[in-house]
Amino acid sequence: MFRMLTDTFYAAPQITVSDVADAADAGFSMIINNRPEDESADQTPGSEIAAAAAAAGLEYVAIPVTHAGFAEWQVTAMADALDKGDGKVLAYCRSGTRSTFLWALARASRGAHPATLAEKASDAGYDLAPVTAMMDMLRGRAS
């Protein structure tokens, strides 16, 4: 369920409270929630994931992303969270796709090459084609 993009970053579809314990057992230090509240009736509320993360000694960050797309504040917040993360990070949304896109945009904004990011995402089963132009633009700004 946790898909590895790098040694320190994994993406996942919606997690549950019991998945937080699994993440702690697997050595994760941070959980990033990229899912907006009330997106669907079957999702575990972020507050429950946050409480389970705190109980397990994991840091929890919420950076919700709707289907409307990505804003600069979200890219910056993700980059900052990844920069301060100490150890493995698990990000989740409904399917893991928005988390992967936001990871790639955050890394591109810090100078990572889009082709390298696309390869890592592809190895985990995600296609970054929809955000390629935005990655290029963000990487250009970082140079």
Side-chain angles (χ1 to χ4, degrees), residues 65-76:
V65 177
T66 68
H67 292 287
F70 301 93
E72 189 168 349
W73 74 265
Q74 293 161 319
V75 173
T76 300

Side-chain angles (χ1 to χ4, degrees), residues 7 13 38 56 59 61 66 70 78 93 97 100 106 115 119 125 133-134:
D7 295 357
D38 301 320
E59 189 169 348
V61 178
T66 68
F70 301 93
M78 185 70 148
C93 59
T97 301
T100 299
E119 181 178 338
M134 194 169 181

Side-chain angles (χ1 to χ4, degrees), residues 64-101:
V65 177
T66 68
H67 292 287
F70 301 93
E72 189 168 349
W73 74 265
Q74 293 161 319
V75 173
T76 300
M78 185 70 148
D80 290 347
L82 294 172
D83 287 347
K84 80 174 195 172
D86 183 25
K88 294 192 319 186
V89 174
L90 174 64
Y92 76 92
C93 59
R94 184 178 184 100
S95 68
T97 301
R98 282 175 282 174
S99 293
T100 299
F101 286 178

Side-chain angles (χ1 to χ4, degrees), residues 5-6 8-9 30 32 74-87 89 99-114 116-118 120 128 134-136 138-140 142-143:
L5 282 88
T6 71
T8 59
F9 183 81
M30 179 187 291
I32 300 175
Q74 293 161 319
V75 173
T76 300
M78 185 70 148
D80 290 347
L82 294 172
D83 287 347
K84 80 174 195 172
D86 183 25
V89 174
S99 293
T100 299
F101 286 178
L102 191 55
W103 162 82
L105 294 171
R107 285 293 165 230
S109 76
R110 296 293 202 253
H113 196 285
T116 302
L117 298 169
K120 291 177 184 301
L128 296 183
M134 194 169 181
M135 284 190 303
D136 288 337
L138 290 167
R139 183 168 188 256
S143 301

